[in-house]
């Protein structure tokens, strides 16, 4: 059994094996070189590649192909075309040309463009990204050949997530090559890697269908906290229930067919919350794979009578879902975030480490921007971690190393001798790669040989945060190279001096304490670290001239593209808040109020009857209960009206405040009204019944 599964690994990918089987030898070699080194594709082989790819896909049952891309909606998009080509009356063949493979035209008018696309020119163009292999998506009646592509407007402005990501990879690659040359390293391949841990909730479809809020917004806008949720910590890493395990294994088998190395699965902190983590891969591929993971999770849930919720905060009062993005850079196959075995490798490690620290400190605002979104606002900056303040956690050992660089004296904790740490001459203490020293409250943590960015939300495309991270680190590396070039004298001594300056200038972003504590925002303010607590604040850095200059300098995003992203993000935020507010109002008025009114009138009638019958008992109870319900009913009325006014005024702050206020009333009523009549499935059912 397991043997057949492993044989099926990657079978739906136009992999090296498939390429060699379906393409002429020379064509295969050229294509593989393109895929490996990101070299531009030789146009003369496009037709041959397309023909082989089609034969392979048709063998998998494919009838159609699609350019698969990632528009700025945050999801993926596809438009299918059949291979079919009529050759005469009632005659047709299946054909797929190089032209069809390399580029496509898609009507872009319904994708967000943030003003980039003028109304008379609604065309968008897709362009093949040969560095991410084509694959087939199966469905009950066949399959579709999917070609990963970038998406841009008629004017060449990017309308997607992939294009700037690829550009940022180029920028970081160039900067790393420059730095490695400073260390006299031979030219080698730079590989940026990502391992994205995907958190999600799984709920029974029957409950989901009875919750218009979940259906329409992905989160519950009402719902009282159940007596027991996650306080006992009994779900985290707990035994996985059979129905969930069946779902998980189906997900994994599908992912393995798609060549996605799904590796880890477990229960998360909140009830009904789970995590799937694949093995890390080349960043661009890992981003595509994460998009597919989300899709497979959703689809497999559906076929199992479940619903996979990828929203960052489906349930108030229980943990939200993130997408931890584990990032590192390797040079010639060696991870640069691993302290090395010799002084030179250590010096490289420290330089890259400080480049990252500098980047995060200097560009915290734009990194925070990359995680902005209505859903993520309920995690970042709310009573949950990671906080909206970007800081770095390094761990005791590295903090001690920074101490000794900063002071110029050796203060190693473990068996360190006194004296100066000489960068490029001394070796570093061995850093533990275990998980004991981890600080789970930090948004950006060094975890042994990689950085783990924990702020991205569970529904977000990783490309956004990784594109920013690559760009700001490239800028830092270049700044370091500039400085080194301007310095005369001994390289190691110069580097030592530079690193010392960097530690002094940027150490404020390093924070080892509890990121959830109420003191941290105050402390962070003293350190001058930005605290961008909601989406509008977090999007603002896109319009900052310094950030625009930075992204233009690296050719990652133009000014127009930055401003259009601001507009799209802002619009998306306002729309989401508005939809949530409208759904709240509708549920409160048309589902909750009738039930409360009905119960109230029954109680009031019973009370009147009890009084007129001169009953000795029950009058107190009925009076108390009907008063509470009556007050709740009045409250509901007032708060619905207030929310309606806020909706009419179109002010999102007022809408959020009115929505939260209404929620308090509704959640209180939920605990008062006859359980059998409450119109919405409750948290204790949704979160615990699988
Ligand atoms: P956790 O953070 O849950 O303890 P792990 O340490 O197992 O998890 O790693 C989480 C993710 O980090 C996995 O996807 C793993 O493949 C990835 N990862 C490990 N090493 C690297 C690396 N060098 N670059 C990028 N991601 C990595
Ligand atoms: Mg993790």
């Amino acid at each position: 059994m397991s043997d057949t599964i492993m044989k099926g690994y990657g079978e739906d990918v136009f992999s090296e094996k498939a390429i060699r089987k379906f393409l002429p030898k020379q064509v295969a070699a050229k294509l593989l070189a393109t895929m490996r080194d990101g070299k531009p594709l030789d146009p003369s082989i496009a037709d041959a590649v397309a023909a082989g790819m089609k034969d392979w896909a048709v063998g998998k049952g494919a009838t159609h192909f699609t350019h698969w891309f990632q528009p700025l909606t945050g999801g993926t998009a596809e438009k299918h075309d059949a291979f079919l080509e009529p050759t005469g009356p009632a005659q047709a063949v299946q054909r797929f040309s190089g032209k069809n493979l390399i580029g496509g035209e898609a009507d872009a008018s319904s994708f967000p463009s943030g003003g980039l696309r003028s109304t008379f020119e609604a065309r968008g163009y897709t362009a093949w990204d040969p560095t991410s292999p084509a694959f087939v998506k199966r469905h009950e009646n066949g399959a579709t050949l999917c070609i990963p592509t970038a998406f841009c407007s008629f004017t060449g402005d990017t309308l997607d997530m992939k294009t700037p990501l690829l550009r940022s990879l180029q920028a970081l690659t160039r900067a790393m090559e420059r730095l490695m040359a400073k260390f006299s390293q031979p030219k080698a391949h730079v590989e940026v890697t990502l391992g994205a841990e995907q958190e999600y909730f799984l709920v029974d479809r029957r409950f989901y269908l009875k919750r218009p809020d979940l259906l329409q917004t992905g989160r519950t806008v009402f719902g009282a906290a159940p007596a027991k949720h996650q306080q006992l910590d009994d779900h985290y890493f707990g035994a996985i229930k059979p129905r969930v395990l069946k779902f998980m294994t189906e997900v994994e088998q599908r992912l393995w067919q798609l060549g996605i190395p799904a590796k880890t699965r477990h229960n998360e902190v909140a009830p009904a919350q789970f995590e799937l983590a694949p093995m890390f891969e080349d960043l661009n591929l890992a981003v595509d794979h994460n998009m597919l993971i989300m899709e497979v999770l959703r689809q497999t849930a559906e076929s199992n009578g479940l619903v996979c919720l990828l929203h960052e905060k489906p349930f108030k009062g229980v943990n939200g879902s993130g997408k931890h993005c584990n990032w590192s850079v390797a040079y010639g196959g060696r991870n640069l975030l691993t302290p090395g075995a010799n002084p030179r490798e250590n010096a490289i490690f420290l330089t890259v480490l400080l480049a990252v620290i500098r980047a995060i400190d200097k560009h915290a605002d734009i990194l925070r921007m990359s995680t902005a979104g209505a859903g993520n606002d309920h995690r970042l900056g709310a009573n949950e971690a990671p906080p909206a303040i970007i800081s770095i956690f390094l761990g005791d050992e590295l903090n001690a190393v920074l101490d000794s660089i900063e002071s110029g004296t050796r203060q190693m904790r473990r068996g360190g001798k006194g004296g100066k740490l000489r960068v490029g001459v001394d070796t570093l203490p061995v850093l533990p790669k275990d998980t004991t020293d981890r600080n789970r409250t930090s948004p950006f943590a060094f975890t042994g040989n990689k950085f783990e960015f924990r702020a991205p939300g569970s529904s977000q495309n990783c490309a956004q945060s990784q594109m920013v991270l690559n760009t700001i680190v490239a800028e830092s590396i270049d700044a370091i190279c500039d400085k080194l070039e301007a310095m005369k004298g001994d390289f190691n001594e110069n580097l030592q001096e530079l690193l010392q300056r960097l530690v002094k200038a940027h150490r404020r972003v390093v924070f080892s304490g509890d990121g959830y504590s109420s003191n941290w925002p105050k402390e962070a303010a003293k350190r001058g670290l930005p605290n961008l607590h909601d989406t509008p604040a977090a999007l603002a850095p896109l319009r900052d001239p310094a950030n625009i200059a930075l992204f233009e300098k690296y050719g990652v995003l133009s000014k127009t593209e930055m401003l259009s992203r601001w507009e799209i993000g802002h619009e998306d935020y306002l729309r989401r808040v508005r939809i949530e507010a409208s759904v709240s109002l509708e549920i409160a008025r048309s589902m909750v109020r009738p039930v409360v009114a009905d119960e109230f009138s029954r109680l009031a009638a019973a009370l009147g009857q009890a009084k007129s019958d001169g009953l000795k008992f029950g009058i107190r109870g009925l009076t108390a209960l009907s008063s509470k319900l009556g007050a709740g009913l009045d409250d509901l009325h007032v708060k619905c009206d207030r929310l309606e006014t806020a909706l009419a005024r179109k002010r999102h702050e007022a809408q959020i405040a009115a929505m939260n206020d209404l929620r308090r009333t509704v959640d209180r009523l939920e605990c008062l009204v006859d359980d059998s009549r409450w119109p919405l499935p409750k948290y204790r059912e949704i979160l615990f019944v699988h």
Side-chain angles (χ1 to χ4, degrees):
M1 161 84 176
S2 72
D3 238 27
T4 33
I5 288 174
M6 278 311 126
K7 264 191 208 128
Y9 187 84
E11 70 176 343
D12 287 347
V13 184
F14 196 51
S15 60
E16 180 167 345
K17 204 168 118 196
I19 289 171
R20 290 198 192 282
K21 189 164 165 203
F22 284 85
L23 298 186
K25 215 169 168 184
Q26 281 185 341
V27 176
K30 274 191 184 166
L31 177 61
L32 288 169
T34 300
M35 290 170 72
R36 231 177 274 125
D37 316 326
K39 282 190 194 141
L41 184 82
D42 175 354
S44 69
I45 64 164
D47 274 327
V49 173
M53 202 186 264
K54 183 214 68 191
D55 289 345
W56 168 79
V58 167
K60 302 270 170 206
T63 49
H64 291 65
F65 72 93
T66 180
H67 278 194
W68 183 74
F69 59 99
Q70 298 166 23
L72 295 170
T73 51
T76 56
E78 45 192 75
K79 181 192 93 182
H80 298 189
D81 279 303
F83 292 127
L84 175 111
E85 201 173 288
T87 50
Q91 281 179 20
V93 291
Q94 290 195 306
R95 196 163 284 153
F96 183 51
S97 69
K99 199 169 145 263
N100 287 336
L101 168 65
I102 287 181
E105 205 178 288
D107 181 3
S109 56
S110 294
F111 292 110
S113 78
L116 275 182
R117 204 193 37 239
S118 48
T119 35
F120 65 86
E121 190 43 89
R123 270 178 300 170
Y125 293 92
T126 49
W128 182 30
D129 165 22
T131 60
S132 179
F135 55 92
V136 293
K137 262 198 217 171
R138 293 171 187 269
H139 57 84
E140 259 180 52
N141 292 327
T144 309
L145 168 64
C146 298
I147 298 145
T149 52
F151 179 48
C152 68
S153 76
F154 173 66
T155 49
D157 293 310
T158 67
L159 293 175
D160 73 340
M161 298 283 194
K162 191 189 264 287
T163 313
L165 178 73
L166 293 173
R167 293 173 179 169
S168 75
L169 282 166
Q170 229 170 45
L172 184 57
T173 299
R174 274 199 210 116
M176 280 296 175
E177 284 170 356
R178 186 177 169 204
L179 182 70
M180 290 302 124
K182 297 265 163 298
F183 283 95
S184 314
Q185 299 293 299
K187 214 167 161 9
H189 181 66
V190 176
E191 190 182 30
V192 189
T193 51
L194 167 69
E197 304 164 54
Q198 178 70 52
E199 291 181 338
Y200 60 92
F201 279 85
L202 214 51
V203 303
D204 192 294
R205 189 159 184 82
R206 285 167 306 167
F207 296 135
Y208 174 81
L209 293 175
K210 289 191 184 141
R211 296 272 331 200
D213 46 359
L214 271 183
L215 260 158
Q216 303 223 311
T217 72
R219 79 176 181 100
T220 53
V221 295
F222 299 122
K228 171 186 178 291
H229 43 99
Q230 64 187 54
Q231 310 97 314
L232 302 180
D233 285 329
D234 52 352
H235 185 67
Y236 191 53
F237 281 13
I240 301 170
K241 288 181 185 166
R243 187 177 176 198
V244 175
L245 196 54
K246 174 176 176 286
F247 157 84
M248 286 177 166
T249 47
E250 277 179 43
V251 166
E252 286 161 344
Q253 285 172 25
R254 184 64 202 123
L255 294 178
W256 290 340
Q257 285 175 334
L258 286 165
I260 300 173
K263 184 130 172 93
T264 310
R265 62 186 186 208
H266 62 79
N267 289 357
E268 257 302 328
V269 172
Q273 193 188 28
F274 307 92
E275 180 182 299
L276 183 155
M279 181 74 189
F280 70 95
E281 298 177 278
D282 165 74
L283 204 163
N284 178 40
L285 185 62
V287 168
D288 285 357
H289 280 173
N290 179 255
M291 298 310 283
L292 283 172
I293 287 173
M294 291 196 282
E295 185 176 319
V296 169
L297 283 172
R298 281 204 194 94
Q299 283 175 353
T300 312
E302 204 168 311
S303 60
N304 279 276
L306 297 161
V307 174
C308 174
L309 304 174
L310 291 168
H311 190 283
E312 283 75 15
K313 192 78 174 181
F315 304 100
K316 192 184 164 201
V318 296
N319 259 41
S321 301
K323 177 142 51 199
H324 297 177
C325 291
N326 295 272
W327 174 95
S328 76
V329 190
Y331 189 76
R334 205 184 86 73
N335 184 348
L336 297 179
L337 289 172
T338 312
N342 57 54
R344 169 129 311 195
E345 286 177 356
N346 283 325
I348 294 175
F349 164 73
L350 286 175
T351 309
V352 174
L353 181 76
L354 276 158
V356 175
I357 293 173
R358 178 190 174 280
I360 306 302
D361 182 36
K362 227 173 134 60
H363 307 293
D365 61 342
I366 196 81
L367 189 62
R368 166 68 180 95
M369 181 288 297
S370 72
T371 65
N376 221 12
D377 277 4
H378 297 278
R379 292 175 67 232
L380 312 179
N383 287 330
E384 196 181 320
I389 306 158
I390 301 286
S391 67
I392 303 183
F393 175 81
L394 290 179
D396 291 345
E397 283 75 12
L398 275 187
N399 277 328
V401 170
L402 291 200
D403 286 342
S404 64
I405 295 177
E406 185 171 9
S407 64
T409 53
R410 201 178 245 282
Q411 297 179 344
M412 301 302 180
R413 291 206 159 191
R414 288 185 193 163
K417 289 182 249 118
K420 212 170 153 183
L421 169 71
R422 285 165 305 153
V423 174
V425 180
D426 291 339
T427 51
L428 289 177
V430 179
L431 300 183
K433 250 188 238 149
D434 61 33
T435 55
T436 50
D437 195 21
R438 288 203 189 173
N439 180 331
R440 298 240 159 231
T441 70
S442 175
F444 200 87
F446 181 75
T447 48
N449 60 353
K450 59 188 174 358
F451 276 103
E452 181 171 344
F453 189 26
R454 302 195 179 113
S458 47
S459 72
Q460 294 178 327
N461 185 327
C462 318
Q464 177 90 339
S465 59
Q466 301 303 297
M467 173 267 290
V468 171
L469 187 56
N470 293 340
T471 310
I472 62 179
V473 173
E475 189 271 338
S476 257
I477 298 272
D478 272 340
I480 289 174
C481 291
D482 288 346
K483 289 262 159 56
L484 285 173
E485 276 166 21
M487 291 164 105
K488 295 200 172 60
D490 179 76
F491 177 79
N492 282 338
E493 278 170 23
N494 291 344
L495 184 66
Q496 169 107 25
E497 191 191 319
L498 182 59
L499 295 187
Q500 187 179 40
R501 267 192 269 153
L502 287 172
V503 175
K504 283 188 178 148
H506 300 291
R507 202 165 184 180
R508 61 173 189 164
V509 77
V510 177
F511 176 62
S512 312
D514 179 2
Y516 301 5
S517 93
S518 54
N519 274 331
W520 173 226
K522 289 175 215 150
E523 161 77 19
K526 267 193 232 153
R527 296 186 187 195
L529 303 178
N531 183 359
L532 308 174
H533 64 282
D534 66 3
T535 298
L539 288 173
L542 276 169
R543 300 204 287 182
D544 178 336
N547 287 328
I548 292 175
L550 168 71
F551 281 78
E552 287 213 309
K553 177 181 169 197
Y554 284 94
V556 175
L557 288 172
S558 69
K559 179 177 180 180
T560 333
E561 288 167 343
M562 297 271 285
L563 297 180
S564 81
R565 268 155 211 260
W566 178 85
E567 205 172 305
I568 292 166
H570 206 68
E571 190 67 16
D572 179 81
Y573 174 75
L574 296 182
R575 281 193 190 141
R576 280 179 203 268
V577 170
R578 194 173 175 78
I579 291 171
E580 288 182 359
S582 308
V583 168
S584 296
L585 187 59
E586 192 189 326
I587 294 178
R589 277 194 175 150
S590 69
M591 294 177 80
V592 174
R593 192 168 60 182
V595 172
V596 178
D598 193 50
E599 186 149 331
F600 172 72
S601 62
R602 278 189 303 115
L603 283 173
L607 181 61
Q609 187 68 45
K611 278 186 181 161
S612 76
D613 288 355
L615 290 186
K616 267 190 179 171
F617 302 107
I619 293 187
R620 243 175 84 189
L622 283 170
T623 307
L625 195 53
S626 54
S627 307
K628 271 194 181 171
L629 271 175
L633 191 59
D634 290 345
D635 220 19
L636 198 59
H637 174 70
V638 172
K639 288 177 176 172
C640 282
D641 281 1
R642 221 177 272 163
L643 182 54
E644 189 170 31
T645 312
L647 270 163
R649 294 218 180 112
K650 299 188 176 157
R651 286 199 38 238
H652 68 273
E653 299 99 328
Q655 288 166 10
I656 292 172
M659 212 180 350
N660 291 340
D661 210 24
L662 174 60
R663 177 173 194 147
R664 274 186 285 277
T665 300
V666 172
D667 290 358
R668 216 176 310 125
L669 284 165
E670 184 187 317
C671 304
L672 274 179
V673 169
D674 177 355
D675 183 58
S676 65
R677 288 167 195 265
W678 190 252
L680 300 164
K682 296 183 175 181
Y683 276 21
R684 67 169 140 80
E685 298 163 307
I686 308 174
L687 287 169
F688 290 94
V689 182
H690 279 114

